[in-house]
Amino acid sequence: MPVDPTKLEIVNYPHAVLRQKAAAIAAVTPEVLAVAIRMCELMHLAPGVGLAAPQVGLSWRMFVANPTGDPEDDLVFINPVLSEPSRVTEDYEEGCLSLPDIRAEIRRPKAITITAIGFNGKPFSLTSEELPARIWQHETDHLDGVLILDRMSPGDRTALRRKIKALEEEI
Ligand code: ZN
């Protein structure tokens, strides 16, 4: 079924698509690129630093990211694969556009490498030990149905239980 990018909106937890393992994108078609462009728009409007396709209701392995907010820094990652996580981990406060009002410290490897296909249809590889590394890991989690709810400490989950329950009851 063709996707109308103008109709895409951010979906919130506990939408079922956020828990699915997303499928690889078979070909970088104009439709895929139009969706990526719309996702960049939604990311800027939110505003946020990353947005994964499941967050707009599409179970596709793709996300967009922009650590600076400058539209020139928009990047799309199609079929991303993470590798070489550092042994050094770091706690950092994360939010999620599909979990309004919820923020928690999440521990992740500080540095990581990502390989993906970009806007031009070609593979590329990047390594970061700063904010991009954090975004790539958070967004790749979305493609596997993993949310910060699963990675936060039990203490944070308890502290946030009312907000989490409120989201669950909004459906
Ligand atoms: Zn998220």
Side-chain angles (χ1 to χ4, degrees):
M1 198 170 60
V3 175
D4 178 353
T6 63
K7 298 261 162 64
L8 298 175
E9 295 293 343
I10 295 176
V11 301
N12 284 349
Y13 172 83
H15 196 297
V17 71
L18 295 171
R19 288 310 202 176
Q20 288 169 17
K21 188 170 166 66
I25 290 177
V28 182
T29 60
E31 180 189 44
V32 168
L33 294 177
V35 167
I37 288 165
R38 172 66 177 156
M39 285 171 57
C40 287
E41 263 175 35
L42 291 169
M43 170 177 67
H44 288 292
L45 283 170
V49 293
L51 186 66
Q55 293 182 275
V56 296
L58 297 172
S59 200
W60 298 0
R61 298 193 80 78
M62 172 167 82
F63 69 82
V64 296
N66 185 322
T68 67
D70 179 343
E72 285 188 6
D73 293 332
D74 285 347
L75 281 182
V76 63
F77 299 76
I78 297 167
N79 299 336
V81 176
L82 296 171
S83 62
E84 296 170 61
S86 61
R87 276 170 185 252
V88 178
T89 58
E90 189 173 61
D91 286 329
Y92 187 84
E93 192 183 74
E94 296 185 23
C96 179
L97 296 178
S98 295
L99 288 159
D101 264 359
I102 291 181
R103 301 192 67 84
E105 297 263 315
I106 308 290
R107 179 163 297 180
R108 299 187 189 270
K110 182 169 165 56
I112 203 141
T113 295
I114 192 164
T115 303
I117 297 168
F119 272 118
N120 61 4
K122 292 185 178 149
F124 67 96
S125 201
L126 294 170
T127 298
S128 171
E129 55 174 22
E130 293 177 7
L131 181 60
R134 179 63 52 164
I135 301 170
W136 303 339
Q137 293 178 77
H138 176 116
E139 302 306 333
T140 302
D141 268 355
H142 274 299
L143 309 186
D144 294 323
V146 175
L147 299 171
I148 55 173
L149 299 178
D150 312 318
R151 295 206 184 269
M152 65 178 60
S153 70
D156 280 349
R157 204 175 302 120
T158 302
L160 290 165
R161 70 184 184 283
R162 279 214 183 85
K163 285 184 175 176
I164 295 169
K165 194 144 193 278
L167 285 173
E168 288 169 349
E169 286 168 355
E170 254 177 47
I171 288 288

